[in-house]
């Protein structure tokens, strides 16, 4: 039997990551990688991710690899991502940009891929992502730089780049992804979504748009429109 090509997938515990992993596992030998950078929500993410990885829908994936790339020396101590005090519910995406986030994640993932003999790195960028390190041009340039620097040919794929979050939820529902074991929150507490950050807003809105029941426990109700 011919072995399947290997794919390194950058993951968090978010619903986009969960669906991406399940989708990739249909075609590739999936190697999920979590890059730990010292951000406020990572402890909760890793706990949820361990539960998610143990579910049948991800049984074909290899064990999760957790690698470290601390960012406390480039993000100041009072940065909201370090303190766990995210911007408000209606904050636009552009205001929650973590400078250089994908540059750092892909550099680390590239080394993991080269050592594992994988030729493909997969990210969960969605349609409408406003950040400069989530464009097709950036991914092409980064893949070329990694390939040259590691002497190991790599491509960077964003299979959901044409999809909205609601469409990802629809796909995940078809694949049987357990959304209750995903976490998309910048200030989680006790395993619950805070209900008051912009990631919680995106999650609520996407489930409603998809017409899929949202199984998420939110610590607080959504703020009422002014």
């Amino acid at each position: 039997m011919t072995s399947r090509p290997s794919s390194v997938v950058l993951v968090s515990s978010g619903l986009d990551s969960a669906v991406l992993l399940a989708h990739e596992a249909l075609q590739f030998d999936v190697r999920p990688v979590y890059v730990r950078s010292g951000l406020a929500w990572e402890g909760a993410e890793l706990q949820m991710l361990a539960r998610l990885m143990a579910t049948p829908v991800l049984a074909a994936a290899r064990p999760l690899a957790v690698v470290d790339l601390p960012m406390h020396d480039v993000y100041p101590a009072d940065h909201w991502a370090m303190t766990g005090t995210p911007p408000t519910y209606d904050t636009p995406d552009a205001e929650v940009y973590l400078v250089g986030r994908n540059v750092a994640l892909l550099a680390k993932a590239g080394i993991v891929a080269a050592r594992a003999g994988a030729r493909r790195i997969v990210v969960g960028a969605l349609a409408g992502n406003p950040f400069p390190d989530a464009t097709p041009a950036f991914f092409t340039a980064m893949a070329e730089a990694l390939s040259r620097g590691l002497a190991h040919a790599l491509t960077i794929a964003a299979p959901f780049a044409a999809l909205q979050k609601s469409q990802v939820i629809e796909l995940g529902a078809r694949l049987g992804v357990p959304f209750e074991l995903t976490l998309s929150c910048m200030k989680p507490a006790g395993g619950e979504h805070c209900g008051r950050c912009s990631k919680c807003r995106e999650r609520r809105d996407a489930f409603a748009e998809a017409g899929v029941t949202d199984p998420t426990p939110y610590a607080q109700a959504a703020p009422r429109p002014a």
Side-chain angles (χ1 to χ4, degrees), residues 86-114:
T88 58
Y89 194 74
D90 58 355
T91 300
D93 281 348
E95 294 185 23
V96 293
Y97 177 46
L98 292 173
V99 176
R101 178 72 167 155
N102 280 348
V103 176
L105 297 180
L106 287 166
K108 197 78 174 193
I111 298 170
V112 172

Side-chain angles (χ1 to χ4, degrees), residues 8-158:
V8 168
V9 182
L10 276 166
V11 299
S12 64
S13 62
L15 63 87
D16 301 337
S17 286
V19 179
L20 184 65
L21 273 174
H23 183 262
E24 285 291 298
L26 297 175
Q27 304 176 63
F28 296 92
D29 175 13
V30 171
R31 299 171 178 268
V33 174
Y34 184 97
V35 181
R36 184 167 46 197
S37 300
L39 306 182
W41 52 82
E42 289 178 348
E45 271 196 335
L46 283 167
Q47 288 181 10
M48 188 68 82
L49 190 53
R51 296 174 63 195
L52 179 65
M53 291 297 303
T55 60
V57 73
L58 296 179
R62 289 180 180 264
L64 176 69
V66 180
V67 297
D68 290 304
L69 186 60
M71 299 295 282
H72 63 272
D73 50 353
V74 290
Y75 295 157
D78 60 354
H79 191 287
W80 61 265
M82 295 296 184
T83 62
T85 53
T88 58
Y89 194 74
D90 58 355
T91 300
D93 281 348
E95 294 185 23
V96 293
Y97 177 46
L98 292 173
V99 176
R101 178 72 167 155
N102 280 348
V103 176
L105 297 180
L106 287 166
K108 197 78 174 193
I111 298 170
V112 172
R115 290 185 57 83
R119 299 287 182 180
R120 187 168 182 268
I121 303 172
V122 186
V123 297
L126 305 185
N129 189 311
F131 306 140
D133 58 358
T135 64
F138 167 76
F139 290 139
T140 298
M142 191 70 179
E144 181 178 355
L146 289 171
S147 298
R148 288 177 178 272
L150 296 167
H152 178 80
L154 286 167
T155 60
I156 297 172

